[in-house]
Amino acid sequence: MSDGADVSPEQQAVEQTLVDTVVASFDACEDPRLKEVMVSLTRHLHAFIRDVRLTEEEWGAAIAFLTAAGHITDDVRQEFILLSDTLGASMQTININNAAYADATEATVFGPFFVEDSPAIELGGDMAFGAPGEPCWVVGTVTDTDGKPLVGAKIEVWEADEDGLYDVQRDAGARAARAHLFTDAEGGYRFWGLTPTPYPIPDDGPVGKMLAAVGRSPLRASHLHFMVTHEGCRTLVTHIFPEGDPIGWKDTVFGVKESLIKKFERQAAGTPTPDGRSLDGTWSKVRFDIVLAPAGA
């Protein structure tokens, strides 16, 4: 990385003139927010190029990388979200847009595998729909920051199976290990899911090659996704992470937060389940009480 000390004043003037010219090209923009974003983007992009003294070959490689990311992206695979995630840009955007408010549950990354048409389940239902993995009983409440139960809050849940795959990675039309349900009159919810396990993000594309080139693992910490909505509240997108996870803070998308690490208690085979379900092997249970911030917080 260069500090610019070896760049002559004349060369610096040429480069700065270009920056100023590009910035001035946005003067006629009538949308003040768009102008602010484009001017800042231009200044930071040119500062990066000048800072590292980007070569034409490196510029070409970057264009090829972005082109490859576009080619591999489809309705169920979003390579640009993976890129944003692995550079910490997704998590930073979440931090900025979900500022701490009272004791509201913290948000984390959305991820590339949410789909709109998840099946509905009743309270206590099974969102696995046959996906392989150890059963997990998930229970909790949804309240506002004053402690008031939020009746009818919509909870979307989704996760990878024990093989590290989401349903859409197996079959674009499949729906398993994802569902939605609504809280009861006390703001409570409960359902059967799968005990989360670590898995790699899709690493057969340009983002995977980038991670390999810089010596980083593609593994995500074990997690279960939630998206929770209720009228008058800020939408919450978050995960919960098992205590003692082998990946934990090495999560490749930087999504782990201390408050979201929960104790998943493994139960021996034959241990009675909360709802009387008969299970052949081990299972786990976890409690996750959710607090929603007010809209606009």
Side-chain angles (χ1 to χ4, degrees), residues 212-228:
V214 299
R216 279 178 54 189
S217 168
L219 286 173
R220 283 228 58 196
S222 307
H223 61 277
L224 170 61
H225 291 266
F226 285 76
M227 182 166 73
V228 188

Side-chain angles (χ1 to χ4, degrees), residues 96-111:
I96 290 168
N97 287 275
N98 293 268
Y101 184 92
D103 60 346
T105 302
E106 290 190 282
T108 189
V109 291
F110 195 53

Side-chain angles (χ1 to χ4, degrees), residues 100-106 143-147 259 289-293:
Y101 184 92
D103 60 346
T105 302
E106 290 190 282
T143 64
D144 64 15
T145 51
D146 293 324
S259 68
D289 292 320
I290 299 165
V291 179
L292 298 186

Side-chain angles (χ1 to χ4, degrees), residues 16 19-20 22-23 26 35-52 54:
Q16 187 59 49
V19 176
D20 295 341
V22 179
V23 166
F26 300 112
K35 180 179 179 180
E36 177 188 17
V37 170
M38 293 306 297
V39 167
S40 182
L41 172 64
T42 297
R43 292 192 187 281
H44 283 80
L45 178 60
H46 282 254
F48 161 74
I49 293 169
R50 298 173 73 187
D51 181 32
V52 301
L54 195 71

Side-chain angles (χ1 to χ4, degrees), residues 201-288:
I201 63 169
D203 60 352
D204 57 340
V207 171
K209 291 179 181 177
M210 179 272 289
L211 293 176
V214 299
R216 279 178 54 189
S217 168
L219 286 173
R220 283 228 58 196
S222 307
H223 61 277
L224 170 61
H225 291 266
F226 285 76
M227 182 166 73
V228 188
T229 54
H230 191 275
E231 185 178 2
C233 296
R234 185 169 73 189
T235 295
L236 173 68
V237 175
T238 196
H239 313 345
I240 51 174
F241 303 88
E243 186 178 81
D245 182 71
I247 305 302
W249 293 102
K250 297 177 183 178
D251 182 32
T252 197
V253 307
F254 313 101
V256 178
K257 293 186 175 182
E258 188 69 43
S259 68
L260 301 176
I261 298 173
K262 303 297 177 182
K263 188 173 184 178
F264 283 71
E265 300 177 86
R266 178 156 283 109
Q267 309 297 304
T271 302
T273 60
D275 62 348
R277 179 182 181 183
S278 178
L279 296 173
D280 293 332
T282 61
W283 56 282
S284 67
K285 63 179 180 179
V286 64
R287 183 174 188 92
F288 180 37

Side-chain angles (χ1 to χ4, degrees), residues 104-160:
T105 302
E106 290 190 282
T108 189
V109 291
F110 195 53
F113 292 113
F114 173 79
V115 295
E116 294 284 354
D117 56 341
S118 68
I121 58 172
E122 298 296 323
L123 289 166
D126 188 353
M127 58 89 84
F129 290 106
E134 180 184 68
C136 179
W137 178 251
V138 186
V139 64
T141 59
V142 180
T143 64
D144 64 15
T145 51
D146 293 324
K148 177 185 175 182
L150 295 176
V151 180
K154 184 178 183 180
I155 303 175
E156 295 265 7
V157 286
W158 67 103
E159 63 181 318

